[in-house]
Amino acid sequence: MTDAAMMKAVIFRRYGPPQRLSLQEVPVPRPAPGEILVRVRATTVNRTDTATLRAHPFFARAMTGLLRPRMQTLGMDFAGIVDGLGDGVTAFQSGDRVFGLLPERFGAHAEYLCLPADGALAHIPRDLRFDEAVVGEGAWYASSTTGLLSEGQRCLIYGASGAIGTAAVQLAKSRGAEVTAVVGTRHLDLAKRLGADRIINYEDEGFTSIAETFDLVFDAVGKISWFTCRRLLNQNGIFAATDLGPYWSNILLGIWFGITGSRRVRVPYPENAPEFVRYLAELMAEDRFRGVFDRSYPLEDIAEAFRYVETGQKTGIVVIDVQ
């Protein structure tokens, strides 16, 4: 690859709505020692991307840039082909099919990216297509909550049809938990295919009035609160959410319960992305985890993908076909 090699990348230099995104020509990155260069074939647009674009919540700017974004290309999920190796890399070869996450640097909304060879990536298992392998972001966030479960415990997952919720059902089942999935009418068959033990249609039944209690109630879409679900929790039950909650109630309650030592409310943040991606690859190879996909867009229409994700109506994962 020559010094003049260029690639297409989606750039944003100011926070705001999807129209701030623009497809531009930028230099192809070069792998440093210990890094690999990946030719991206597929990526995703998810809630993390849309929130980062709009700098929501505002205090997130402390990490992403106070006035302007430090990272000007979004995209956490990727799948593609190893196209170059930095010095000292032995775990991968040029031509390997890989997938993974960029939880700290982002950058997958581009034709090429570099990342450490010991980072959050693994070989694509079996004969999965690239657009079937971009499954990490939602699963990684789900894992921070489903990791609280032990075999035989009971959990309720509200919003089990999104990228996080569909992953949470499968990850909870892989830990031997009994899963109750709360979805709307059009997602009843999906929840059954994912392996949920019981399915509640929230359009027909008020799930908070059922005569059961759970070890874990997980709000995978950020639309309910501990106050709504507290009667569903058993004596040591935990309420976990993917969002701050109404009036930041999940954060405030999490702090309060943390002070009192009970830790009944949590907004967990996932850790150790490299280890999780390798574990996810094992589950996929054993056919114990599969992505659920809504629709796909070409890279040049990525702003439309952002708009669609912001509607909150997607089922599973929205894919961007890069090359």
Side-chain angles (χ1 to χ4, degrees):
M1 192 169 295
T2 67
D3 291 336
M6 302 292 285
M7 69 173 185
K8 294 178 181 178
V10 179
I11 305 295
F12 78 113
R13 293 190 169 87
R14 294 175 59 197
Y15 296 117
Q19 54 261 40
R20 292 279 168 83
L21 300 167
S22 64
L23 190 61
Q24 300 183 18
E25 293 278 333
V26 300
V28 174
R30 289 182 170 272
E35 290 188 336
I36 65 171
L37 174 69
V38 176
R39 180 184 178 189
V40 181
R41 299 295 300 275
T43 181
T44 67
V45 173
N46 50 58
R47 286 168 55 191
T48 302
D49 294 315
T50 59
T52 305
L53 174 63
R54 291 185 180 269
H56 174 77
F58 184 85
F59 62 74
R61 291 174 181 245
M63 296 176 287
T64 62
L66 184 60
L67 299 178
R68 294 183 182 274
R70 297 191 188 100
M71 301 174 292
Q72 297 186 349
T73 297
L74 296 170
M76 186 186 295
D77 266 310
F78 70 89
I81 301 170
V82 176
D83 199 69
L85 303 172
D87 292 341
V89 175
T90 59
F92 297 93
Q93 301 293 326
S94 292
D96 285 355
R97 301 168 71 247
V98 296
F99 79 104
L101 291 171
L102 300 163
E104 297 175 357
R105 59 173 69 187
F106 287 68
H109 293 167
E111 292 182 319
Y112 291 88
L113 60 84
C114 286
L115 77 160
D118 60 356
L121 79 160
H123 290 92
I124 295 176
R126 301 187 291 117
D127 56 351
L128 290 177
R129 303 191 311 265
F130 294 110
D131 61 353
E132 296 174 320
V134 281
V135 297
E137 190 265 355
W140 188 46
Y141 282 112
S143 71
S144 62
T145 297
T146 57
L148 301 172
L149 292 165
S150 301
E151 185 171 359
Q153 288 192 311
R154 305 175 71 244
C155 70
L156 180 144
I157 299 171
Y158 180 84
S161 59
I164 296 175
T166 55
V169 172
Q170 298 177 81
L171 293 173
K173 292 299 296 181
S174 74
R175 297 185 67 86
E178 181 182 325
V179 176
T180 294
V182 181
V183 295
T185 303
R186 68 190 181 105
H187 295 130
L188 296 176
D189 289 341
L190 170 61
K192 182 177 180 180
R193 293 197 305 271
L194 293 174
D197 299 285
R198 178 181 176 184
I199 303 167
I200 296 176
N201 184 348
Y202 65 77
E203 297 177 23
D204 294 337
E205 180 181 1
F207 76 96
T208 58
S209 63
I210 61 175
E212 298 179 43
T213 59
F214 299 88
D215 300 286
L216 172 69
V217 172
F218 179 31
D219 175 14
V221 288
K223 293 183 178 180
I224 57 177
S225 69
W226 175 80
F227 296 104
T228 305
C229 302
R230 56 185 175 180
R231 66 174 304 279
L232 296 174
L233 298 170
N234 62 28
Q235 184 176 1
N236 297 309
I238 295 170
F239 174 79
T242 60
D243 210 332
L244 304 179
Y247 306 105
W248 293 15
S249 59
N250 293 333
I251 291 290
L252 297 175
L253 286 168
I255 293 172
W256 169 252
F257 281 118
I259 292 172
T260 62
S262 66
R263 304 209 63 190
R264 298 264 287 174
V265 176
R266 304 189 194 185
V267 183
Y269 187 82
E271 299 178 346
N272 202 338
E275 181 178 315
F276 175 72
V277 168
R278 291 189 286 270
Y279 171 65
L280 187 61
E282 293 176 5
L283 292 180
M284 294 163 69
E286 297 167 358
D287 203 25
R288 298 170 61 197
F289 185 96
R290 60 184 182 275
V292 175
F293 301 95
D294 185 309
R295 60 181 68 180
S296 62
Y297 295 82
L299 187 63
E300 56 266 27
D301 291 340
I302 195 168
E304 288 301 317
F306 270 76
R307 293 186 185 99
Y308 176 61
V309 171
E310 287 187 329
T311 68
Q313 299 301 310
K314 70 182 180 71
T315 301
I317 300 166
V318 172
V319 176
I320 303 298
D321 294 316
V322 179
Q323 301 183 55

